[in-house]
C-alpha cells in the first residue's frame, strides 16, 4: 500500500464530490469510506489514475484554493472539451486551462502537447504559443499550434 496521499479538505460534501469525480473520470475508484457515528462520511480514500487522495469532511475552517490543483494532461482536444465541460459546470473558469469546480477543487485541464509548444527551441515560436495561450480559459490547442506555425 502506498503511504502518501493528498488530502483534500471539504466542508461537508467530500463524499458527494468524490461520487461526482467518479462520473467524470473512469479511472477513479473509491478505496475506503470512514463514517462518523451519524453515518456521514468523515474520510473518503480514493485513487485516480494511480494517485491516492483523501477527501476529508473537515468543516468550514479551511477551504481549497488554486494554490494546489490537479494537473490533467489530455490526449486530445475532445478530452479537453469533455473534462472542461464536466468540471466547470457549476464552477469557475480561470485562465490558461485552469478551473475551479463546484466543490472548490482547482484543476488544470491541459493538452499533453502544450508544454512542448511553450518550450519550443525557437524562442519566437515559444513566445507565440504563450501569447496565444494567455487570453484563453479552456485551451484550444489548434489555435496555439497555428500561432506557433505562423512566420
Amino acid at each position: 500500500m502506498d503511504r502518501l496521499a493528498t488530502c483534500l479538505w471539504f466542508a461537508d460534501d467530500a463524499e458527494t464530490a468524490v461520487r461526482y469525480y467518479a462520473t467524470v473520470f473512469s479511472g477513479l475508484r473509491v478505496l475506503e469510506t470512514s463514517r462518523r457515528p451519524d453515518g456521514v462520511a468523515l474520510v473518503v480514500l480514493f485513487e485516480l489514475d494511480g494517485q491516492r487522495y483523501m477527501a476529508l469532511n473537515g468543516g468550514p475552517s479551511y477551504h481549497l484554493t488554486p494554490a494546489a490543483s490537479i494537473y490533467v494532461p489530455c490526449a486530445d482536444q475532445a478530452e479537453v472539451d469533455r473534462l472542461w465541460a464536466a468540471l466547470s459546470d457549476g464552477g469557475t473558469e480561470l485562465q490558461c486551462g485552469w478551473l475551479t469546480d463546484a466543490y472548490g477543487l482547482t484543476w488544470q485541464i491541459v493538452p499533453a502537447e502544450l508544454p512542448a509548444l511553450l518550450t519550443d527551441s525557437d524562442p519566437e515560436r515559444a513566445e507565440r504559443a504563450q501569447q496565444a495561450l494567455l487570453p484563453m480559459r479552456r485551451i484550444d490547442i489548434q489555435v496555439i499550434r497555428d500561432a506557433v506555425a505562423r512566420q
Side-chain angles (χ1 to χ4, degrees):
M1 181 173 175
D2 293 331
R3 296 180 343 154
L4 303 177
T6 300
C7 180
L8 304 171
W9 184 295
F10 295 87
D12 61 5
D13 53 3
E15 188 171 27
T16 303
V18 172
R19 280 190 193 135
Y20 179 70
Y21 301 146
T23 69
V24 175
F25 296 98
S26 61
L28 186 147
R29 61 186 186 113
V30 174
L31 304 173
E32 181 181 333
T33 302
S34 301
R35 299 188 179 280
R36 300 184 320 216
D38 64 2
V40 173
L42 176 62
V43 171
V44 180
L45 186 63
F46 67 100
E47 186 176 88
L48 177 56
D49 290 340
Q51 175 65 48
R52 288 180 182 249
Y53 297 91
M54 179 176 70
L56 169 70
N57 276 329
S61 298
Y62 299 105
H63 304 280
L64 297 166
T65 76
S69 61
I70 298 178
Y71 176 79
V72 184
C74 299
D76 55 30
Q77 189 67 47
E79 185 178 19
V80 168
D81 295 346
R82 182 185 71 77
L83 292 176
W84 188 268
L87 293 170
S88 67
D89 185 26
T92 304
E93 294 182 0
L94 305 171
Q95 191 173 0
C96 299
W98 291 53
L99 64 89
T100 299
D101 68 26
Y103 301 99
L105 184 57
T106 300
W107 301 82
Q108 296 178 53
I109 308 302
V110 178
E113 72 183 273
L114 180 64
L117 294 170
L118 294 172
T119 59
D120 191 282
S121 61
D122 178 337
E124 290 179 8
R125 290 169 52 95
E127 179 64 21
R128 288 194 303 269
Q130 183 172 347
Q131 292 308 310
L133 171 67
L134 287 175
M136 292 183 182
R137 291 181 184 271
R138 179 191 53 82
I139 296 174
D140 183 336
I141 195 63
Q142 189 59 52
V143 170
I144 298 171
R145 287 182 196 133
D146 291 347
V148 169
R150 274 196 325 260
Q151 292 293 330

